[in-house]
Amino acid sequence: MVQAYILIQTEVGKATTVAEAIGKIEGVLQAEDVTGPYDVIVRAQADTVDELGRLVVAQIQQVEGITRTLTCPVVHI
């Protein structure tokens, strides 16, 4: 199982709507709107890195109001 934090920038005033929409996507564990340089932080999981990439590109990035994402995979050292 691969998990990642996905940091999201949105259009002005869209953070809550984006977080709510992303929270309904399968594989998303948590989606919160926050303050700071990013507007939404998501924790997601998938079986493989490739599936995680597809989740981000094919589903999360398609949510209206998103301007940029940064995916940060969780590592266990």
Side-chain angles (χ1 to χ4, degrees):
M1 187 68 59
V2 178
Q3 292 190 354
Y5 288 98
I6 303 157
L7 311 177
I8 299 172
Q9 293 177 336
T10 69
E11 297 172 3
V12 174
K14 299 282 186 174
T16 300
T17 306
V18 167
E20 288 173 358
I22 291 173
K24 297 175 184 175
I25 296 172
E26 186 176 344
V28 170
L29 303 175
Q30 190 172 14
E32 301 281 350
D33 47 322
V34 297
T35 61
Y38 293 94
D39 303 305
V40 177
I41 297 179
V42 173
R43 184 158 178 138
Q45 71 178 15
D47 289 331
T48 66
V49 172
D50 288 341
E51 286 182 20
L52 180 65
R54 283 191 288 275
L55 171 66
V56 172
V57 173
Q59 295 184 59
I60 292 174
Q61 288 182 350
Q62 300 307 310
V63 172
E64 186 175 337
I66 292 177
T67 59
R68 177 175 288 188
T69 65
L70 174 65
T71 303
C72 304
V74 175
V75 297
H76 302 281
I77 299 174

